[in-house]
Amino acid sequence: MRNSSMNKQAIGIFDSGVGGLAVAQAVHQLLPSEDLLYIADSGFMPYGSKTQDEIRGRCHAIVDYMATQGAKAVVVACNTATMAAIGSLRAHYSLPIVGVEPGVKPALQQSKSGVIGVLATPSTIASQSFQRLCRQQAEDLGRIVFQPCPELAATIEALHLDGDHTEALLRRYCEPLLSQGVDVLVLGCTHYAFIAPLLRRILPSGVSLITTEQAVALQLQRRLAPSYQLGTQLGTQPSATPGRVRLLTSGDSQRFSAQLQVLWPSVENPVITPLHLSCAELG
Ligand code: DGL
């Protein structure tokens, strides 16, 4: 049974599409009693080819909606959106807002060659926030090489997680990084967690991968811990009421349902609701 004094508002999690489902699963696993409100902004996917202003407009519209639904915290489960909008979201809303950024620091700490690679969307790589992050982190630790992957998120949305086409695409994106001595590869887009098994198969054995969904779930737990009773006992109590997962999409609901069956098959009784949001006008 839930403690009646516990806050029952949902945690809002969003992405341009299915990428954030990897983050939502990590959150659901760590904090299984929490209600989640997941928004896939699939109608505006990909964010990776949009301008920073366009992405910010979508993010504000989504967080506005989450705030009206009483969300107690928001996870921006998208590197591209985090790079474009986290600053303005935090300035605008008093909710705890947790973002996802490419795991450059752990990658540099782990690298033996001192050269790490980042696969990300064109927008993330071009963003000032990402370039600043790399300058700060790389200072003494090593060298970072980047690879924009314009087609990859859409390939994953289409559930081509394996097979010749996706393998060829990944080889094309990874080759320039490997030829520069990269021994740690950062997956700088939440969608890419779903092709990690294929990447592990095709990369040389000495190259490791960094994904960030577990770190994001832990960061969310840390952010909530002071105000809510979260923590290990919640995650392990067998009698704890499982949190509800509500799913909304601005794209095609049937397509999202098919994606969910592959990418999060264990989610219980998924109900998918269509969502139409106009872009927020930002001053
Ligand atoms: N999942 C998003 C990210 O983490 C990007 C996908 C897109 O281009 O829409 O960057």
Side-chain angles (χ1 to χ4, degrees):
M1 276 258 296
R2 281 171 193 258
N3 176 341
S4 59
S5 66
M6 194 182 292
N7 195 313
K8 292 181 187 169
Q9 297 164 281
I11 294 166
I13 303 179
F14 76 94
D15 177 46
S16 62
V18 297
L21 291 174
V23 177
Q25 285 171 76
V27 170
H28 191 55
Q29 213 166 10
L30 186 68
L31 308 170
S33 299
E34 291 295 318
D35 289 349
L36 305 185
L37 168 66
Y38 184 90
I39 295 182
D41 197 15
S42 321
F44 287 80
M45 205 272 161
Y47 281 2
S49 60
K50 306 273 187 303
T51 66
Q52 301 280 293
D53 279 350
E54 285 169 331
I55 299 166
R56 260 195 297 275
R58 291 309 298 167
C59 292
H60 277 261
I62 291 168
V63 178
D64 270 351
Y65 177 81
M66 287 177 163
T68 64
Q69 297 295 300
K72 65 179 174 189
V74 170
V75 180
V76 184
C78 172
N79 295 257
T80 310
T82 299
M83 292 298 135
I86 197 94
S88 69
L89 291 174
R90 284 185 179 142
H92 208 268
Y93 300 94
S94 53
L95 292 167
I97 299 183
V98 174
V100 183
E101 55 183 36
V104 166
K105 188 175 180 184
L108 284 163
Q109 286 166 338
Q110 198 173 306
S111 172
K112 294 193 177 66
S113 70
V115 189
I116 67 150
V118 180
L119 300 177
T121 66
S123 168
T124 290
I125 290 180
S127 69
Q128 287 181 3
S129 315
F130 179 66
Q131 292 300 330
R132 197 176 323 117
L133 171 79
C134 292
R135 270 198 307 279
Q136 283 162 355
Q137 299 299 344
E139 239 166 34
D140 303 315
L141 290 171
R143 194 156 68 84
I144 306 173
V145 285
F146 317 116
Q147 177 63 49
C149 307
E151 294 159 64
L152 194 48
T155 302
I156 293 161
E157 288 277 317
L159 296 176
H160 298 142
L161 309 179
D162 212 328
D164 293 348
H165 171 78
T166 309
E167 185 172 332
L169 194 62
L170 290 180
R171 286 189 189 281
R172 176 148 62 81
Y173 289 144
C174 291
E175 180 47 40
L177 304 179
L178 297 175
S179 68
Q180 294 192 62
V182 161
D183 68 346
V184 183
L185 195 56
V186 176
L187 304 190
C189 166
T190 48
H191 280 74
Y192 305 169
F194 293 114
I195 42 92
L198 174 59
L199 266 175
R200 284 200 185 91
R201 235 174 37 236
I202 65 177
L203 286 171
S205 57
V207 177
S208 44
L209 292 184
I210 301 274
T211 59
T212 40
E213 53 278 3
Q214 308 294 338
V216 172
L218 285 165
Q219 174 62 9
L220 172 69
Q221 185 184 41
R222 277 192 292 272
R223 288 298 310 274
L224 293 176
S227 27
Y228 303 98
Q229 266 207 307
L230 292 171
T232 46
Q233 93 269 33
L234 246 189
T236 52
Q237 262 177 9
S239 60
T241 311
R244 234 169 29 114
V245 181
R246 281 176 62 205
L247 301 140
L248 295 95
T249 179
S250 60
D252 184 285
S253 301
Q254 279 182 355
R255 185 175 199 235
F256 190 51
S257 164
Q259 291 165 325
L260 209 59
Q261 279 170 35
V262 173
L263 303 176
W264 194 357
S266 62
V267 67
E268 278 176 35
N269 311 319
V271 177
I272 299 168
T273 311
L275 177 71
H276 300 288
L277 291 175
S278 314
C279 284
E281 295 287 334
L282 302 177

